[in-house]
Amino acid sequence: MSANNAFHIAVLAGDGIGPEVMAPAIEVLRKIEAKSGLSFRFTEAPAGANNYLATGKSMPDSTIKLCEEADAILLGACGLPSVRYPDNTEIAPQIELRFIFDLYAGVRPARLIPGVPSPIVGADKRGIDLVVIRESTEGLFASMGKGVVTHEDARETMVITRKTSERLFEFSFRLAERRKARGKPGVLTCVDKANVFKAFAFFRGIFDEIEKRHPNVKTDRLYVDACSAMLVKRPWDFDVLVMENMFGDIVSDITASLIGGLGMAPSADIGDKYAVFQPCHGTAPDIMGQGKANPTGMILSAAMMLDWLAEKHGVESAAEAGETIERAVDQIYAGGIKPMEFGGRNGTADITKAVLAAL
């Protein structure tokens, strides 16, 4: 086995249904390992609300060190509504990791899988296949833990820097170019509120500068309110969208809802060196331990991880393995798998078994 084909994966299962969806993803990767020539070493580590209850910290230093040493990080879901910091904010290692490892590009694909219902009329025929890229370390989230609250008012500060915006846009243009090479439109849309806020005018101005380096990518610019309205009417008109942190937080939930909900949506937070892969859904403590959790978003996040490892290390078989997982997921939904959030009877075990069989 070539060392280039062997990857060390940090596994942070988290809270609630996090461990329940992580286990199927690991099973799928083990099946891929047996078929592809890839090799994985998984190391589990604590993170989340339960660790905070036990230790007073969302993550021990050993977890952060593991993440630093691993080739990639798989994250389940973290946080519980009933567990809060003293300032009443939720325990959120997923956000803390973005700041610790400078994971500035939040990648949120939204692809409608055959057989999955969409609330958009015509989506079953036209299809939905887009990617929201959310800046993940600045914007309004730069104020996390730093806001000022008095009896009379509360203030948070939005931060947009040239350095991070340039890296974000370069990442976004490269993604659009890769999608174009794979037969997608390769159109990149900058989403902002540049008509009202100087910070967003600054953001758009940097986008215009970076555009000149990528003449083969068609571009567009939209205000976030207009973009949101268009997404719920004609989502098939979009390919890649890039935006500030808070806007991305909201818009990516909209796009996930267009393809069946958060249970179907994978995601990644990517920096220059490190990357975290996790489903878009939360910890869902109301269904914890009942076998109802949909592991699809977690499984597809593992597929995203393989694609990223392929690009980072030049291992084409990892990209092929990621595509194999996506095809298996498509196959089971086209074949009639129906998770419980769609009114079906298929829980965690059924979906996992079906994907493994399809592989």
Side-chain angles (χ1 to χ4, degrees), residues 282-305:
T283 54
D286 56 320
I287 61 169
M288 179 177 60
Q290 301 174 37
K292 296 179 179 179
N294 182 356
T296 304
M298 187 75 247
I299 291 170
L300 291 175
S301 296
M304 287 183 71
M305 180 187 74

Side-chain angles (χ1 to χ4, degrees), residues 12-24 50 75-80 262-263 279-295 298 341 348:
L12 283 56
D15 305 304
I17 63 170
E20 297 173 42
V21 298
M22 182 64 78
N50 286 316
L75 181 65
C78 291
L80 293 170
L262 294 174
C280 286
H281 63 70
T283 54
D286 56 320
I287 61 169
M288 179 177 60
Q290 301 174 37
K292 296 179 179 179
N294 182 356
M298 187 75 247
E341 66 259 39
T348 314

Side-chain angles (χ1 to χ4, degrees), residues 149-164:
V149 179
T150 70
H151 180 70
E152 300 300 330
D153 62 19
R155 298 172 186 267
E156 305 277 4
T157 302
M158 181 169 66
V159 177
I160 291 177
T161 69
R162 172 171 290 277
K163 177 184 176 181
T164 295

Side-chain angles (χ1 to χ4, degrees), residues 227-279:
C227 176
S228 300
M230 293 170 67
L231 276 169
V232 297
K233 289 184 177 180
R234 298 179 60 85
W236 44 81
D237 286 347
F238 291 94
D239 187 29
V240 184
L241 305 93
V242 60
M243 61 200 72
E244 176 270 340
N245 205 337
M246 179 59 80
F247 287 169
D249 189 21
I250 298 166
V251 171
S252 61
D253 272 21
I254 293 174
T255 56
S257 298
L258 306 182
I259 60 162
L262 294 174
M264 300 297 298
S267 79
D269 289 302
I270 298 174
D272 292 334
K273 184 177 179 181
Y274 303 96
V276 173
F277 300 86
Q278 66 176 118

Side-chain angles (χ1 to χ4, degrees), residues 98-155:
R98 296 169 196 165
F99 291 103
I100 292 169
F101 293 111
D102 195 19
L103 309 178
Y104 57 85
V107 183
R108 310 289 188 263
R111 182 176 66 89
L112 185 62
I113 292 171
V116 174
S118 171
I120 307 302
V121 175
D124 55 336
K125 297 181 177 63
R126 300 294 298 270
I128 300 172
D129 189 349
L130 58 86
V131 182
V132 171
I133 301 178
R134 164 194 180 183
E135 195 289 311
S136 291
T137 60
E138 297 183 346
L140 195 55
F141 278 76
S143 191
M144 190 177 75
K146 303 172 185 175
V148 177
V149 179
T150 70
H151 180 70
E152 300 300 330
D153 62 19
R155 298 172 186 267

